[in-house]
């Protein structure tokens, strides 16, 4: 596979949690990324670069070749004009950080891979809305978050001709863990995968750079690296175009 200047691996920024963590004898606030995300990037040939939601500067994306907006807690409904549901739990400062980076990446046409909460951030950043507790309107959806700390499984069909279909084929399945989902899909996004119950499982931009938002958790399926491979390949091509002044 072609590399960027002097064989450099594409640099991939990842958003992070910012909350209590532990290491050694210490327990304190920390910037945290589950290892599956950084391992997915590294396995696909990228170099992970972590961007905690402190001291946010969207122009830092000028120094990388792609952005992964990782999963996490719910997006605060203030960002899409709704009142919070009793089951909604959010971290508004992290929302502000992730939304700012997402909008900057879209403006730059930087390759963007938005996972679970990240797909919801992508939709909200472009003016879309969310279903705050999916089992309220679809009891079957409880399977997507079966119990605390245990992933469910979702099977979905992809839209022919989409980026998702190109990478995964006409159907696939993945680990998932969510109780929210996309409601009104933002202008500029296309739904490119749905679960059998109609839940939106993937969205892409119709124009611009390589952008894919997925409601499921591909990083948790170490046996299927196709989405990470496709994303890092797009980041590599982006870096080469930038290097050559195109």
């Amino acid at each position: 596979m072609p590399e960027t200047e002097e064989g450099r691996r594409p640099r991939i920024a990842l958003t992070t949690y910012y909350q209590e963590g532990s290491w050694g004898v210490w327990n304190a606030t920390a910037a945290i990324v589950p290892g599956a995300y950084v391992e997915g990037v590294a396995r696909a040939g990228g170099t992970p670069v972590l961007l905690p939601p402190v001291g946010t500067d969207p122009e830092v994306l000028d120094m990388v070749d792609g952005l992964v907006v990782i999963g996490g807690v719910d997006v605060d409904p203030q960002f899409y004009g709704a009142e919070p549901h009793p089951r909604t739990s959010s971290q508004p400062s992290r929302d502000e950080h992730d939304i700012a980076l997402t909008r900057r990446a879209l403006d730059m046409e930087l390759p963007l891979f938005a996972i679970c909460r990240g797909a919801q951030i992508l939709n909200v950043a472009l003016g879309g809305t969310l279903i705050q507790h999916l089992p309220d309107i679809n009891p079957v959806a409880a399977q997507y978050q079966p119990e605390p700390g245990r992933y469910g499984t979702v099977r979905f069909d992809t839209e022919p001709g989409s980026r998702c279909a190109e990478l995964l084929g006409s159907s696939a399945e993945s680990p998932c863990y969510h109780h929210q989902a996309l409601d009104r899909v933002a202008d500029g996004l296309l739904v490119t995968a749905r679960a059998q119950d109609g839940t939106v499982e993937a969205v892409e931009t119709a124009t611009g750079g390589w952008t894919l938002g997925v409601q499921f958790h591909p990083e948790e399926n170490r046996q299927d690296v196709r989405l990470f491979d496709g994303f890092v390949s797009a980041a590599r091509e982006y870096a080469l175009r930038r290097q050559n002044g195109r």
Side-chain angles (χ1 to χ4, degrees):
M1 63 179 62
E3 293 289 354
T4 58
E5 57 194 303
E6 299 179 357
R8 175 174 69 78
R9 294 160 66 98
R11 295 169 182 151
I12 307 299
L14 298 97
T15 60
T16 80
Y17 291 77
Y18 194 69
Q19 59 194 56
E20 185 174 347
S22 63
W23 57 98
V25 298
W26 305 103
N27 290 276
T29 300
I32 301 170
V33 177
Y37 292 102
V38 293
E39 291 163 13
V41 167
R43 190 181 302 114
T47 296
V49 178
L50 307 188
L51 298 181
V54 178
T56 303
D57 178 5
E59 292 187 7
V60 73
L61 296 182
D62 294 344
M63 298 187 291
V64 300
D65 309 308
L67 172 66
V68 179
V69 182
I70 72 167
V73 298
D74 304 326
V75 180
D76 195 297
Q78 68 173 301
F79 293 102
Y80 52 94
E83 293 297 317
H85 185 283
R87 296 287 298 273
T88 296
S89 175
S90 59
Q91 297 172 333
S93 62
R94 185 179 170 197
D95 295 332
E96 292 172 355
H97 173 81
D98 290 3
I99 289 171
L101 291 176
T102 295
R103 288 174 173 163
R104 173 68 173 169
L106 291 168
D107 287 345
M108 295 171 60
E109 299 190 357
L110 182 74
L112 172 61
F113 191 14
I115 296 174
C116 195
R117 162 194 158 86
Q120 296 169 5
I121 284 283
L122 172 62
N123 192 48
V124 169
L126 290 173
T129 63
L130 305 178
I131 302 166
Q132 290 192 54
H133 191 57
L134 193 54
D136 283 350
I137 61 173
N138 176 12
V140 175
Q143 66 181 314
Y144 300 144
Q145 194 178 79
E147 61 185 55
R150 183 166 74 88
Y151 287 95
T153 300
V154 62
R155 186 160 187 84
F156 51 90
D157 296 321
T158 63
E159 285 294 319
S162 67
R163 183 171 292 122
C164 206
E166 178 185 349
L167 293 171
L168 297 179
S170 61
S171 64
E173 66 178 33
S174 176
C176 63
Y177 191 79
H178 65 96
H179 76 109
Q180 300 196 339
L182 273 61
D183 187 8
R184 184 176 61 78
V185 176
D187 293 343
L189 291 179
L190 301 175
V191 176
T192 56
R194 288 186 185 271
Q196 293 181 346
D197 63 8
T199 301
V200 175
E201 293 296 333
V203 289
E204 303 172 15
T205 47
T207 59
W210 194 104
T211 298
L212 177 62
V214 296
Q215 184 59 72
F216 49 91
H217 279 279
E219 80 284 357
E220 292 298 329
N221 186 355
R222 272 69 163 189
Q223 307 307 311
D224 187 347
V225 298
R226 291 174 291 178
L227 293 184
F228 276 93
D229 282 349
F231 165 65
V232 173
S233 178
R236 184 177 294 108
E237 292 172 3
Y238 178 90
L240 286 169
R241 289 196 303 272
R242 181 166 58 184
Q243 173 187 332
N244 295 327
R246 299 200 299 266

